[in-house]
Amino acid sequence: MQKYINKIKDFNELVMFEHSIFSLPFIFIAMIVAADGWFGFWLLLMGALAAVSARNFAMGLNRYADRDIDAVNPRTESRPNVDGRLDATSIMIFVVVNAFVFIIIAYMINDLALYLSVPILFVLGSYSYFKRFSHLAHIVLGVSLGLAPIAGVVAVQASIPAWSVILSLGVIFWVAGFDLLYSLQDIDFDKENNLYSIPSRYGADATLFISSLFHMLSVIFWALFVWTAGLGIFAYAAVILSAVMLGYEHKIVRRDFTQIDRAFFTVNGYLGVAFFVFIILDKVVA
């Protein structure tokens, strides 16, 4: 029994399940706005399972593809995909199972969700290889998580309204911006191993500037989302709070690069949850 428990812990560490906090709030934000309130327990369950299976697929494939890179990076050499706890076959089985789960859930939701399921998996999987030939990997990661709000609104109303695309654009630049900050940790390693990233190509100062620009675009798109979706004062407060939190994130990273983990995990995790809570308040008050 303990063997199976340890294996579950290893897979949890492989995909860092707790990082689902980045995409889940924006899926549910889109679902709340699309339904103009509560969307039901069935869609809550389906939305959560779809998000988790899609992320497990993406992270599992990323860890599978990066085995050679992770094995020689001091920051990642203790991950279960390279330290012997999980072999390549087990990881690939995990990836395939989660892909099938995602497609099945999409089938159970509606036809449009099913039609989009395979293209979404293709986008999610492409990130794992972009860093080997393109500096745009940060944008691809942003697009991967930025699909979450569109998936949420498709689940509720089987369509893609303009406001959901604008919300997604905000998420894309938010994720790409904080991935740039996170990538600063590997700037020297990426240079030495000919890996493509904006920090390794343009340096830390340029990376900080581009990340700031991306996050300013996030705030602008989120404000446009609130306006086009016809939301109220609490939704605008969510945008303002997000701007403050992103400003704080950049402040602590610029002051001390050793605080990158704090900025990446803590600040961005709270940002998504806070945005979600304020959207709920907006609908309750309205």
Side-chain angles (χ1 to χ4, degrees), residues 196-231:
Y196 290 78
S197 71
I198 286 176
S200 67
R201 175 66 176 83
Y202 299 104
D205 289 340
T207 298
L208 290 168
F209 173 78
I210 295 170
S211 177
S212 297
L213 178 62
F214 281 3
H215 282 159
M216 284 190 285
L217 288 172
S218 293
V219 173
I220 291 171
F221 279 120
W222 283 336
L224 287 173
F225 149 67
V226 171
W227 178 63
T228 55
L231 302 179

Side-chain angles (χ1 to χ4, degrees), residues 53-63 95 124-125 127-128 144:
S53 59
R55 190 180 178 283
N56 284 347
F57 163 81
M59 287 297 297
L61 184 58
N62 183 251
R63 295 291 185 255
V95 169
L124 295 178
Y127 166 72
S128 301
S144 297

Side-chain angles (χ1 to χ4, degrees), residues 60 93 126 156 159 163 170 186 198 209 217 237 249 254 279:
I93 291 173
S126 66
V156 173
S159 65
W163 61 259
D186 291 331
I198 286 176
F209 173 78
L217 288 172
E249 177 179 3
R254 287 177 181 274
I279 294 298

Side-chain angles (χ1 to χ4, degrees), residues 3 11 44 60-61 104 130 232 262 271 278 285:
K3 176 183 177 181
F11 276 109
L44 175 66
L61 184 58
I104 290 169
F130 254 78
R262 177 185 171 195
L271 187 154
F278 272 82
V285 172

